[in-house]
C-alpha cells in the first residue's frame, strides 16, 4: 500500500479528531452518536470509565466478527482490538480535556456543543476512512454481517445504528430509569455527521486524495475495497 507516510498519520489524526467530537457530545448531555451509545451506556449504568468501556466494546465486536466469519476471519483484523485500545485512550484523554470547558447548565451552550461535535466527528471520518488502514471494530462487524447475510452495507449500517440505540435505551430505562446515552443529540448526529461529511468531501476531498495519491475518494469505493480484503 503506497503513501504509508501520509496514510498512517492521517488515520490516527482522524481517530483523535473523532474522539474530540465524542467528548463534546458527552459534555453536551444531549445524547451521543449511535456508535458511541453502548460505551456511554456502560459508563452511565455500571460506572466504567468511557475509554475502558470503548475498549471492551471494540473487543466484543471483534469477537462477534470471529463468530460470524469463522475460517474467513483474517488474523490481521485482530488489529482492530489494538485500534480499539488506542481509540479508548484517545476517548479518555478528550473527555478529560472536555472537563475544562464551561458548565453546560445553559441549554444554548449544550446545543452548540452538540452541533460542534457533529463537525468534529465528520472531520475525523473525513481523514480516518480514506486512509484505508484497519477499520474500527464497529465498521468491521458491519462488513462481516454484510458478507454473511449478503445485505447491502448501507442497510446493515442503518440496522446496526438503530440496534445500538435501542439496546442503549432499553438498558438505561431498566437500570437507571432514564434515557442515559440517548437523546435529541443522538438523532441529530445520525443525520448531521453524514451531511457534514458530504460537504467536507465536496470542498476538500480532492486535496486530501491528492496527498494520498489516489483519485477523488468515495465512501463506497473504500467499503468495496475493504469487503474484498475480507474474502
Amino acid at each position: 500500500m503506497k503513501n504509508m507516510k501520509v496514510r498512517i498519520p492521517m488515520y490516527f489524526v482522524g481517530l483523535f479528531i473523532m474522539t474530540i467530537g465524542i467528548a463534546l457530545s458527552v459534555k453536551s448531555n444531549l445524547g451521543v452518536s449511535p456508535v458511541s451509545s453502548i460505551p456511554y451506556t456502560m459508563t452511565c449504568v455500571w460506572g466504567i470509565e468511557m475509554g475502558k468501556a470503548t475498549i471492551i466494546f471494540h473487543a466484543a465486536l471483534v469477537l462477534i466478527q470471529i463468530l460470524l466469519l469463522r475460517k474467513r476471519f483474517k488474523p490481521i483484523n485482530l488489529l482492530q482490538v489494538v485500534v480499539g485500545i488506542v481509540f479508548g485512550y484517545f476517548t479518555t484523554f478528550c473527555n478529560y480535556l472536555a472537563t475544562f470547558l464551561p458548565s453546560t447548565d445553559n441549554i444554548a451552550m449544550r446545543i452548540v456543543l452538540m452541533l460542534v461535535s457533529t463537525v468534529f466527528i465528520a472531520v475525523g471520518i473525513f481523514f480516518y476512512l480514506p486512509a484505508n488502514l484497519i477499520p474500527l471494530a464497529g465498521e468491521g462487524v458491519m462488513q462481516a454481517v454484510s458478507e454473511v447475510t449478503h445485505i447491502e452495507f448501507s442497510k446493515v449500517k442503518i440496522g446496526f445504528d438503530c440496534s445500538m440505540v435501542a439496546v442503549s435505551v432499553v438498558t438505561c430505562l431498566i437500570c437507571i430509569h432514564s434515557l442515559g446515552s440517548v437523546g435529541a443529540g443522538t438523532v441529530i448526529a445520525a443525520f448531521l455527521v453524514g451531511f457534514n461529511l458530504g460537504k467536507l468531501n465536496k470542498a476538500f476531498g480532492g486535496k486530501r486524495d491528492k496527498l494520498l495519491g489516489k483519485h477523488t475518494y468515495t465512501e463506497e469505493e473504500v467499503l468495496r475495497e475493504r469487503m474484498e480484503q475480507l474474502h
Side-chain angles (χ1 to χ4, degrees):
M1 189 179 289
K2 61 182 181 179
N3 289 335
M4 293 301 287
K5 290 183 179 180
V6 175
R7 289 176 181 269
I8 292 175
M10 184 177 291
Y11 178 84
F12 285 104
V13 166
L15 291 182
F16 184 73
I17 293 174
M18 284 174 64
T19 58
I20 293 175
I22 291 170
L24 291 176
S25 68
V26 171
K27 183 73 174 180
S28 76
N29 199 29
L30 289 174
V32 297
S33 61
V35 73
S36 302
S37 60
I38 294 293
Y40 191 45
T41 293
M42 294 168 68
T43 297
C44 294
V45 174
W46 294 292
I48 303 173
E49 192 275 321
M50 191 175 175
K52 294 179 180 178
T54 298
I55 294 171
I56 294 170
F57 181 56
H58 279 243
L61 291 179
V62 173
L63 178 59
I64 292 173
Q65 291 176 56
I66 295 172
L67 295 175
L68 287 173
L69 296 172
R70 299 179 183 275
K71 293 181 179 180
R72 288 177 290 175
F73 181 85
K74 291 187 176 182
I76 192 172
N77 286 316
L78 289 172
L79 288 176
Q80 292 175 34
V81 176
V82 177
V83 173
I85 292 172
V86 173
F87 198 68
Y89 277 106
F90 280 172
T91 300
T92 297
F93 180 66
C94 289
N95 278 335
Y96 167 73
L97 292 180
T99 61
F100 293 98
L101 292 174
S103 171
T104 54
D105 294 335
N106 186 297
I107 186 63
M109 176 63 73
R110 293 168 63 187
I111 292 173
V112 168
L113 283 174
M114 183 270 296
L115 293 175
V116 172
S117 75
T118 66
V119 175
F120 272 95
I121 293 172
V123 172
I125 296 172
F126 174 80
F127 288 117
Y128 145 77
L129 193 61
N132 199 19
L133 297 178
I134 303 299
L136 287 170
E139 183 186 339
V141 80
M142 286 185 277
Q143 290 172 344
V145 170
S146 179
E147 179 180 352
V148 171
T149 62
H150 304 292
I151 298 173
E152 187 179 345
F153 181 89
S154 60
K155 294 180 180 178
V156 172
K157 177 172 173 51
I158 293 171
F160 180 82
D161 287 348
C162 292
S163 298
M164 295 301 97
V165 172
V167 169
S168 297
V169 168
V170 171
T171 303
C172 287
L173 286 176
I174 292 175
C175 296
I176 60 176
H177 309 295
S178 76
L179 292 177
S181 63
V182 179
T186 305
V187 178
I188 294 172
F191 290 97
L192 279 187
V193 170
F195 175 80
N196 291 334
L197 181 59
K199 294 293 185 181
L200 285 168
N201 277 325
K202 186 175 181 180
F204 305 108
K207 294 180 180 179
R208 176 206 55 205
D209 294 336
K210 188 175 181 180
L211 286 174
L212 292 172
K214 59 187 292 188
H215 63 282
T216 301
Y217 154 80
T218 64
E219 184 176 358
E220 290 75 13
E221 287 172 332
V222 171
L223 294 175
R224 190 184 307 117
E225 185 175 338
R226 287 185 175 174
M227 286 293 290
E228 291 173 353
Q229 291 171 355
L230 288 173
H231 287 287

